[in-house]
Amino acid sequence: MAQQRVLPQSKETLLQSYNKRLKDDVKSIMDNFTEIIKTAKIEDETQVSRATQGEQDNYEMHVRAANIVRAGESLMKLVSDLKQFLILNDFPSVNEAINQRNQQLRSLQEECDKKLIALRDEISIDLYELEEEYYSSRLLSEYPSGGASVSLLGETSLLSWVLMLDEITTSSSSW
């Protein structure tokens, strides 16, 4: 998936400016650090006194250290700008993440549908077995009028459960 994309001219120019800023800031840090090291060397003969030379070197080190700090802050700002550029302009990876999440959710839906269908089938089998047991029981033969009303009530509630599960599985598969 590491394909080269053609960037518009403005984006290409922006990336080139980021690259130039990076090189300039790193060069500034290196140059200032090198000059601080050079300033730390003590020269034997100079035309100015040692105290004056020490103060001048101290001032130069402070200025160069400040330049290093400025270049470091500029690099941190560059990192922030690069992150923002990536977030705003990396549509293919955002689309890929969305597609992956969509695929995960579809597989989860299919798994839930399969479990619901298995549950519906299991309840249907159990309902059938319960009806068989109920209609062959002694209670029904001993109390014909009372047994019929109980039978209709039990059959209606169990049947409504099966129908409700069937409706859930068919409606969830149409999502």
Side-chain angles (χ1 to χ4, degrees):
M1 300 242 181
Q3 34 178 303
Q4 291 290 334
R5 289 177 273 160
V6 178
L7 295 174
Q9 187 63 29
S10 62
K11 289 181 183 177
E12 188 67 36
T13 306
L14 186 61
L15 289 175
Q16 287 174 353
S17 74
Y18 287 159
N19 198 15
K20 183 180 179 330
R21 281 174 49 192
L22 174 68
K23 288 179 181 178
D24 290 345
D25 288 338
V26 169
K27 185 177 181 325
S28 174
I29 289 173
M30 287 296 295
D31 291 345
N32 284 302
F33 189 73
T34 303
E35 290 301 318
I36 288 175
I37 298 299
K38 285 180 185 176
T39 305
K41 292 181 184 177
I42 300 175
E43 296 180 13
D44 291 335
E45 284 188 31
T46 60
Q47 295 179 353
V48 293
S49 69
R50 281 191 182 264
T52 307
Q53 186 65 39
E55 284 299 316
Q56 181 181 353
D57 292 346
N58 187 25
Y59 176 70
E60 184 178 349
M61 284 184 192
H62 277 79
V63 170
R64 293 198 178 275
N67 287 342
I68 290 173
V69 169
R70 184 208 49 80
E73 288 174 349
S74 178
L75 285 174
M76 289 178 20
K77 173 75 170 112
L78 177 64
V79 168
S80 174
D81 290 347
L82 285 170
K83 286 179 182 179
Q84 183 179 5
F85 176 82
L86 183 64
I87 288 170
L88 295 177
N89 296 306
D90 194 17
F91 296 117
S93 66
V94 170
N95 287 339
E96 184 178 333
I98 290 171
N99 288 337
Q100 283 179 346
R101 181 66 177 154
N102 194 10
Q103 189 65 21
Q104 287 174 344
L105 292 175
R106 285 193 192 279
S107 65
L108 181 64
Q109 177 189 358
E110 289 174 7
E111 184 180 325
C112 288
D113 287 347
K114 288 177 185 176
K115 287 181 181 178
L116 280 173
I117 289 171
L119 182 63
R120 180 198 64 192
D121 294 344
E122 200 174 306
I123 288 177
S124 178
I125 291 170
D126 289 345
L127 174 63
Y128 180 76
E129 290 174 359
L130 285 172
E131 285 178 348
E132 291 272 323
E133 183 68 29
Y134 176 74
Y135 288 126
S136 66
S137 72
R138 275 177 79 183
L139 180 66
L140 187 61
S141 62
E142 289 179 7
Y143 304 104
S145 63
S149 63
V150 171
S151 164
L152 285 176
L153 177 64
E155 187 176 314
T156 304
S157 63
L158 288 175
L159 186 59
S160 64
W161 275 99
V162 171
L163 290 175
M164 182 178 69
L165 278 173
D166 189 39
E167 184 179 319
I168 289 172
T169 55
T170 55
S171 66
S172 69
S173 63
S174 65
W175 291 339

